[in-house]
Each structure stands twice: as structure tokens, then as C-alpha cells.
Amino acid sequence: MPLTASTYGKGRVRVMRLTRAGDHHTPRELTLTVLMKGAFDAAWTAGDNRACVATDSVKNIVNVTAAKNLSLDKEAFVEAVAAVFLETYPQVEEVAIEGQETRWLRHAIGPEPHGHTFTLDGTGTGFVRLVASRGTRALQSGLRDFTFMKTTQSGWSDFVDDGYRTLPDTADRIAATAMDATWTWTRAPADYATANAEILARLLAVFGTTYSLGVQDSMYRMGEAALAAIPEIAEIGFAMPNKHYIPINLAPFGLENANAVFLPTDEPHGQIVATIARG
């Protein structure tokens, strides 16, 4: 029987890099999955491990690369890790690295941000993915499970009335989501961190300041704004599950609910997915 596809490597490789400038520190924490493709078929088909790089070595490569590159943004760091594999092992044809970033926020004590005190960012994780061979590279950045909402200026109406519909039209509802967003780079920006922050700022500005006819409507316009702001990205993809806030019926208690009391629920949830690209 033919072996039609194979890959292997190390998952959940966790590493924290800490840069120190006197009393001013910057933490950079990542959890990586590193997978290799190449001339490894014999390990599957013949029990021959002579070409195999130990997955423990994969972890060690990440740690050594971290020690040599304390200050790189996550995008440049995964490129440095990939370069080690491609330069060291001729049997590796492609390496795919995916990382989740634990984001630490600098805490202010008094009026000033403190040099070495941080709190965990409570919404979402950063995301990076690189697929690199000796001739090609595809780099993506983004966010995972970034949660936000607005409490008005959102509606959902004129959808199919098909005999299964129970939801009424509404012109004023809470809109909330735990967003996954992924943008694909065509070239490096002047600074990845600044560009990533600008993308998020544009997404939230569109969401927060314009009326939403539905998640699809907001998503498309958010993507347009990100592409207009950052010329170095080719496309942006979203997965935005609804976090529902359902108005509670208070009529049995002789009370009106003036769109003020809700049941929070995210199971089951609407799942809205799209990619917006340059024309």
C-alpha cells in the first residue's frame, strides 16, 4: 500500500524569551507546533529511522534559536527556527511552524507603566504560521479567540422564513464574538508588531463605530479596512462564532424587558467564516 502523506515533529513546544534593558523587561511567550516533511517515508514503510530527526531535537532547536534571538517578533522568530531545519537537514523538504502567543500586558503602577510587572491579556492569543521550503515561504499572523462585543447598533432581519424559523427580526441586539482572524503577508512590514496592532485597531473601529446588519456585514467591512490600512497583507480570513445574549422573557413576572436582561450562551452558536482578499 502506498504512503500518500506523512509529517512529523513536536507539538506544544513552550518557550518564553525575556529581553532586559536595565529594569525594563519584555516577555515573549510562545507555544509552537513544528512539523517536518521530507525523505522520511522509510520510517513508516520499513522501520528505518536513519533519516529521522528526533522530536526532542526539534524542541532543542526551538530553545537554542530562542536563546540566540531574544528580541525577534514572533513572525521573525519562526522564520529563524525554520532556517535552522532547512540549513541543517538536507532530508527536510518543508517545515511548518504554527504558534500561539501568550500576550502579557505591561501593568501601570501609579501613572507609569512598570518595567517588569505584567498581567495576562484576558482576551485572545496571538497567532503565527509559517510554511517554508528552500524555494518558498508562506507567512501568516493573526489572533485566536479574541473576544469583543457591542451592546447596540447591531441587527439581524429579513432572513429566510422557511417554516423552521423562530427568531424574530431585530434592529437592536448585542453583537459579540470570539474571533479567529488570520492575515497573509506578501512581504514584511516595517515592524510586525506595529502592523498587527494597526490591523486589530482597524477591525475594532469598524465593528464599534458602524451599524451591523449581521456578522457577515461587519466581517466583510472589517476585512476591507484591514486590507486598506496594511498594504503588506494579501488577504484576511475570519471565523466569528456568535456569542448569543438572548432577551429573557419577564412577562410571567409582570415585568417588561426593555432589552436589558439577557441569557448569555454560546452553545450552540452561529459560525460565520469568510476570507477577504485584494481584487
Side-chain angles (χ1 to χ4, degrees):
M1 300 295 180
L3 178 69
T4 59
S6 64
T7 188
Y8 84 103
K10 201 78 163 179
R12 294 195 61 79
V13 180
R14 300 184 66 180
V15 63
M16 164 78 92
R17 293 171 294 142
L18 186 64
T19 54
R20 303 168 185 261
D23 199 39
H24 189 275
H25 298 175
T26 302
R28 295 178 173 89
E29 182 176 349
L30 286 170
T31 301
L32 299 174
T33 297
V34 183
L35 298 174
M36 297 171 286
K37 290 184 179 180
F40 305 115
D41 286 6
W44 275 266
T45 60
D48 182 347
N49 298 324
R50 286 176 293 175
C52 288
V53 179
T55 65
D56 188 64
S57 297
V58 174
K59 174 203 68 179
N60 293 337
I61 287 169
V62 171
N63 291 338
V64 170
T65 307
K68 294 179 178 179
N69 298 277
L70 293 177
S71 300
L72 293 182
D73 289 330
K74 63 183 183 298
E75 290 82 5
F77 177 68
V78 297
E79 295 214 48
V81 172
V84 174
F85 285 91
L86 295 172
E87 292 167 5
T88 305
Y89 304 110
Q91 68 271 39
V92 174
E93 297 168 4
E94 179 184 279
V95 59
I97 305 172
E98 189 166 302
Q100 299 276 354
E101 179 185 29
T102 299
R103 302 190 302 165
W104 292 98
L105 303 176
R106 194 174 300 279
H107 182 65
I109 297 177
E112 298 296 329
H114 195 262
H116 55 260
T117 303
F118 301 87
T119 58
L120 184 65
D121 191 335
T123 180
T125 56
F127 172 80
V128 65
R129 184 170 191 266
L130 173 68
V131 178
S133 68
R134 287 171 182 80
T136 63
R137 61 182 286 281
L139 179 65
Q140 297 177 312
S141 301
L143 293 161
R144 293 292 178 267
D145 201 35
F146 187 86
T147 303
F148 53 97
M149 78 172 181
K150 61 180 179 180
T151 54
T152 190
Q153 291 296 299
S154 173
W156 178 240
S157 60
D158 297 328
F159 50 97
V160 173
D161 189 357
D162 52 11
Y164 296 97
R165 171 179 163 172
T166 58
L167 293 176
D169 285 355
T170 180
D172 188 8
R173 67 171 183 169
I174 292 176
T177 187
M179 175 184 73
D180 289 352
T182 307
W183 43 93
T184 300
W185 301 98
T186 55
R187 61 187 186 276
D191 180 76
Y192 279 111
T194 300
N196 288 336
E198 179 65 15
I199 290 170
L200 178 58
R202 296 301 179 105
L203 299 182
L204 293 178
V206 170
F207 179 82
T209 64
T210 63
Y211 185 84
S212 174
L213 295 167
V215 176
Q216 293 90 331
D217 170 55
S218 287
M219 180 187 290
Y220 181 77
R221 292 183 291 105
M222 290 162 69
E224 284 188 311
L227 290 165
I230 307 297
E232 294 88 356
I233 62 173
E235 64 181 24
I236 182 167
F238 298 96
M240 292 173 65
N242 278 326
K243 297 177 71 67
H244 295 293
Y245 291 85
I246 300 170
I248 293 174
N249 180 15
L250 298 176
F253 311 102
L255 298 172
E256 282 191 27
N257 186 356
N259 218 21
V261 183
F262 305 87
L263 172 66
T265 181
D266 54 11
E267 294 181 355
H269 59 248
Q271 182 76 8
I272 297 91
V273 179
T275 298
I276 299 94
R278 298 188 186 280

